[in-house]
Amino acid sequence: MKLILKIARAELRNLFYSPIAWFLTVAFMVECALTYTGLLNNYAITQETGGVGLTYMSQITYKVFSSPFGLFVGIMQNLYLYIPLLTMGLISREINGGTISLLYSSPVKIKEIVFGKYLAMMAYSLILLLVIGIFMTSGVFDVKSADYGMLWSAALGFYLLLCAYSAIGLFMSSLTSYQIVAAVSTFVMIGILTYIGTLWQGVAFVRDLTYFLSLTGRTHHMLIGLISTNDVIYFIVIIYIFLGLTIYKLQSGRETKAWFVSAGRYIAIVVSALIIGYIFSRPGLIGYLDTTANQDNTLTPNAQQIIKQLGDDKLEITAYGNFLDNYYFLGSPEQRNDYLARWEPYLRFKPDIDFHFVSYYDTPLALGYDLFSSYKGKTMKQIAEQKAKASDLDLSDFEKPEQIQKDIDLKPELNRFVMKLTYKGKSTFLRVFNDQAIWPGESEVSAAFKRLLQAKMPEIAFITGDGERRTGKKGDREYKTLTAEKTFRYALINQGFDVDTLSLGAQDIPDNITTLVLADPQSELSAVAIQRIKAYINKGGNLLIAGEPGRQQLLNPLLKTLGVQLMNGMLEQESEDHAPTLVLPNLTKTAISLSPILDKPSIDTLPISMNGVSALSYHDTSGFNMQSLLVTKAGAAQNTMARNPDLDMVNNKEAGVESTGGHPLVSSGGSFRVIRMGDVNAQNSGAKRVVKGYASMPANKNNSKDTYTTALALTRQINGKQQRIIISGDADFMGNAELVRYEPKTANFYFSTALFNWLDYGQFPINTSRPDGKDNRVTVSTEHVTFLKFLYVWLFPGLILIIAAIFLIRRKRK
């Protein structure tokens, strides 16, 4: 060991007796300084500017250090420029100068020479780590509540990559007496190891080998704060391979052996390394350490609990990929390792998941265009053959339509890429989505796992038969986006719910219904339907009722039993940009507390858009506890009545509902107007409203501060559980059109999802939210960043250059 240290010290002296090590250190520091101060200055400017830009001030530690544009990533992309220039002379200098013969004849062992020189490179790598450590330390002071754990993990990944590059450079230096050739060879080898993971990915055995040897992405987990034994062992294996090859290469110069003996040694090194890497890359043998403050790289406690309930029983995941669909590539052999990597967070807690893959071709049902019109005159098989030939694939590797249809019916899944999860004889589908993320997230995966565990699926039944809103249509007023759109990530069916329809004229309400929905009937409910709904309510069933202006008389008889009425008329809100029928009530504290979905600063202040809404009047003498969920904002409009004596209205007295007594129909503080109406003919442009030929009356200035409740939550204890009911004066807020409204920005989608989450007692959707990071501000001003830039870009590198000049001049004099 002492001899190894002596060789290391001698090699370090050689490094710093030449200008190259000094200049590379200075260049490295300047590059780090420019990157760090540039990023820090951007956030300082954003913070000083204020306004909406502050909403993007989050996870600053990650963004400054570990993001694709961060300090570590930028530096690592250029490391290949530094290391080869340092390692190119480690051994080639000895070969070129003839001193290698002296080393061979000395009592020094070859492995001591190699380890000593490599130890010198590890020491220099430590110097580079100390340089970047300056900026890590600065970040701790410059970023509010910086994530220390992420920084230390990223530093480890950076150092291991330096050590791996050094081992590669050392081996390349042993192959030639020319230093430039050694440097170029190191560039080439690093390039090969970087891109080898993309080669021969269609061949199963070769794919696993090349993917393991690939350098690409090996530091990714550590950069974001997750240290895994798999990644650490990979770097150790790479170092072992190239140091071992270097030792045997130099050993072959000292002794004479047959070529197959030398080749056998090299093969033994590589094979033993691959065996070690394969063993320790098995999911059950991988250890993890999440160093981030909020455990951002670990499944949330709710998701972990669900996976724990799966126990040791076998879970199978079969991926079905349709060759003719746009998303086939997600499960293709070339993408197989990427697919498995996406399951790594779950394999961490259940390493025995069994994966299967099925490739087939069939008519895709969600392309967005007609496939056969693009290939006129061709059959499906001919189209598949043409595409297979163009992709250099063998069509015999894909199951034919009749074969796949015999095994499983994927038409309900639109014949697109889908994953079937099977556990204890139960199965459910996990889908991909038409958004930027594509893959299911933690919430969707956890919901699928939980469905496998539950004996009773949460089922939402939408009443049909009287013109109610439909779950299978894409019209503006319909509910498909929220409920049954399989390509939409946040649809209820993708969050764990079953969605069905129910005609009360012909069917009783099943006992397994989690929530019953009555949304905007356009004709009078039959006596049988009302009787069944009342019986369902009396048994304690959860319910959502949504009405519309002009159809109050259809729902008020039913709502009377609950102590609620849809108020005659329609609310209107003055706006320069939108029709007056667009009302924007705000979430109350009660609404925000319904679900964690709403309890976020970026959501809880957003309004809910209701395009045509009736106010609600209510009293709590029916035994329910009633709380407002949506209340109109005071002062935004005026209260105007358009009276038509010929309209057949049910007023509050006739309905038996009081407008006083703690829950006023109209309370002080609002800014909307109510229009009495029976049948509305809405004109979306202009300020006038036509109600059976009657225009709005002039504003009543005395009521300019009235507020109105537009959505209510009702609860009571019955049959040993809490019954939950939602009543809304508008049905459009859950419609396809309002969920995708861009202007104004609203929380309709979050509110709609939160309602069903509350009605299901928080079971679905699965709450996988995380606390917001505390590193959301910088502690420096732009002036201070200018000072830091002078310090790190000019002063410190200048001092290093002065020290280098003094050191080199004194060395030359000696």
Side-chain angles (χ1 to χ4, degrees), residues 20 74 97 125 179 382 433 440 473 496 506 668 671 694 720 776 787 789:
I20 187 169
S125 298
Q179 295 186 31
Q382 291 172 331
F433 308 107
K473 297 291 184 178
S668 177
S671 52
Y694 288 79
N776 56 2
F787 169 74
K789 188 173 183 179

Side-chain angles (χ1 to χ4, degrees), residues 159-218:
Y159 185 68
L160 288 174
L161 186 63
L162 282 173
C163 292
Y165 282 1
S166 298
I168 295 170
L170 181 62
F171 172 64
M172 292 302 165
S173 181
S174 70
L175 298 178
T176 177
S177 61
Y178 299 100
Q179 295 186 31
I180 297 300
V181 174
V184 173
S185 299
T186 303
F187 290 142
V188 173
M189 180 55 68
I190 291 175
I192 291 173
L193 288 177
T194 299
Y195 294 104
I196 195 173
T198 63
L199 303 177
W200 307 298
Q201 293 299 290
V203 184
F205 176 71
V206 178
R207 176 176 63 236
D208 292 338
L209 292 180
T210 56
Y211 185 77
F212 170 75
L213 290 173
S214 176
L215 271 169
T216 302
R218 287 296 178 175

Side-chain angles (χ1 to χ4, degrees), residues 182 205 217 248 314 316 365 375 463 529 586 592 679 705 757 801-802:
F205 176 71
Y248 283 130
K314 187 176 182 180
E316 291 185 0
L365 303 177
Y375 294 87
I463 297 173
N586 295 107
I592 295 170
D679 182 22
K705 293 188 177 181
N757 178 252
L801 285 176
I802 292 171

